[in-house]
Amino acid sequence: MSVDGEVRQLRTEADEPGWEVDPDDEWGVAVVATVGRQLKLRREAVGMRAGEFGQAVGYGEDLVYKIEGGKRIPRPEYLDMADEVLGAGGLLAAMKEDVAKVRYPKKVRDLAQMEARAVEIGVYENSNIAGLLQTPEYTRALLESWLPAYTLEDLERRVAARTARQSVYERSPAPALSFVLEEGTLRRKVGGTMVRRQQFERLLEVGQMNSVTLQMMPMDSGPHAGMSGRIEVLKFEDGTAVGRSDGAFNGRPTHDPRQLRILELRYGTIRAQALPPGESLAFIEQLLGDT
């Protein structure tokens, strides 16, 4: 029986794809193991068997054991139901915040943490619209094209993670953000007409923020310093910085001052060659009108 007295079809591992713990994510493994241990201790404290508990929350016994053993990431609703069934007074439900962070891939979490600390962020993108500018619909359409294909659950997990990074715009004081997008990233037909229209509207919205500079590199421009790939540079309040470029230093993040100067030189040259912000926004408005 469920907590509301109705018969519930038990969900099994086959119904819950994409919630495995990444074994290389040490912090994630530790969080999920701790949550699982607390669930098990609370269940045993009230004298409830795993099968009986599974019936109450609507999950199969095998999945209950895997969650308690730290092998599976529990969904938020699982923790809510467990809290109610086991009379935990909100202690189990309170773990949803940490579990939600574990849901996101480690690389995405690390990037989001750096973006959350940065006072300046500069991004040049030549393959698709930068992640900090994407609508969820655009992100989903973009990731659906990748091979091998993501499972539906993993796809939504990555969409949610990329969208969550955009909380950077809500910071106070806001960081200084600058973006340079190749014209081709705007013309590429990612998603249907409504997806593209919403994405153009989002670009215009962000591009008008006082803390944001948005520029476009026209397709008829000459060769420039970004031809070898994406560039990203983040600067922090303590004077340190980190940068990465697809075409430099094996594409790995670097903190080395000499390498950072090279990336800053390239990015500054790209910005100087791109259209000014006003002309860039006018071009996006034109694309919106033509879509």
Side-chain angles (χ1 to χ4, degrees):
M1 298 291 287
S2 68
V3 294
D4 55 10
E6 296 179 356
V7 176
R8 182 195 303 260
Q9 182 178 359
L10 300 184
R11 280 171 283 190
T12 65
E13 188 169 4
D15 302 319
E16 301 280 309
W19 286 72
E20 296 85 0
V21 185
D22 182 354
D24 296 327
D25 183 358
E26 295 182 1
W27 181 78
V29 169
V31 168
V32 176
T34 299
V35 171
R37 184 162 53 250
Q38 291 299 317
L39 286 165
K40 181 179 180 181
L41 290 173
R42 180 69 62 167
R43 174 178 61 78
E44 291 178 340
V46 300
M48 185 176 284
R49 298 176 181 272
E52 182 183 2
F53 172 73
Q55 288 281 346
V57 298
Y59 282 73
E61 182 176 356
D62 182 61
L63 196 54
V64 170
Y65 279 126
K66 287 191 174 183
I67 290 175
E68 292 182 350
K71 304 299 183 184
R72 299 281 288 185
I73 303 173
R75 290 177 176 272
E77 58 267 27
Y78 183 98
L79 294 174
D80 283 334
M81 290 184 291
D83 194 280
E84 183 176 351
V85 169
L86 301 177
L91 294 178
L92 296 178
M95 295 189 290
K96 288 187 294 184
E97 183 176 348
D98 286 335
V99 172
K101 295 176 182 177
V102 174
R103 286 191 60 196
Y104 301 150
K106 183 177 185 300
K107 288 184 178 180
V108 177
R109 291 205 313 268
D110 291 344
L111 177 58
Q113 289 173 359
M114 287 192 294
E115 290 172 342
R117 293 192 298 112
V119 294
E120 292 183 37
I121 299 175
V123 178
Y124 161 73
E125 185 62 76
N126 67 344
S127 59
N128 48 257
I129 293 172
L132 286 176
L133 297 170
Q134 294 175 10
T135 65
E137 294 77 16
Y138 179 96
T139 300
R140 186 175 295 106
L142 186 66
L143 295 181
E144 284 175 346
S145 69
W146 287 19
L147 293 174
Y150 293 121
T151 65
L152 178 60
E153 198 69 44
D154 199 20
L155 175 68
E156 294 305 321
R157 176 190 185 195
R158 292 175 182 274
V159 171
R162 187 166 299 182
T163 302
R165 287 171 48 205
Q166 297 185 16
S167 62
V168 68
Y169 296 112
E170 302 169 6
R171 284 173 46 195
S172 180
L177 298 103
S178 65
F179 301 93
V180 180
L181 305 178
E182 286 286 345
E183 179 181 341
T185 66
L186 304 179
R187 291 193 177 277
R188 183 166 293 113
K189 296 183 178 179
V190 177
T193 299
M194 288 306 300
V195 170
R196 297 187 69 218
R197 287 188 62 84
Q198 290 171 357
Q199 182 60 70
F200 292 148
E201 290 170 352
R202 177 58 175 167
L203 291 176
L204 292 172
E205 177 187 3
V206 174
Q208 293 170 6
M209 294 179 179
N210 292 333
S211 59
V212 176
T213 301
L214 177 59
Q215 296 176 260
M216 189 199 71
M217 180 69 75
M219 294 181 69
D220 60 2
S221 67
H224 58 76
M227 299 295 290
S228 58
R230 183 177 190 271
I231 296 174
E232 183 170 17
V233 178
L234 290 80
K235 299 181 180 180
F236 307 106
E237 189 173 13
D238 61 2
T240 61
V242 62
R244 187 184 73 82
S245 172
D246 293 338
F249 323 122
N250 297 317
R252 296 175 180 174
T254 179
H255 298 268
D256 183 88
R258 291 184 302 172
Q259 295 178 345
L260 285 170
R261 281 197 294 272
I262 292 173
L263 294 184
E264 289 183 29
L265 175 62
R266 292 183 180 180
Y267 185 61
T269 303
I270 291 169
R271 292 189 67 184
Q273 197 167 340
L275 292 180
E279 293 182 29
S280 297
L281 293 181
F283 184 84
I284 295 172
E285 287 181 341
Q286 181 182 340
L287 288 177
L288 176 60
D290 294 341
T291 302

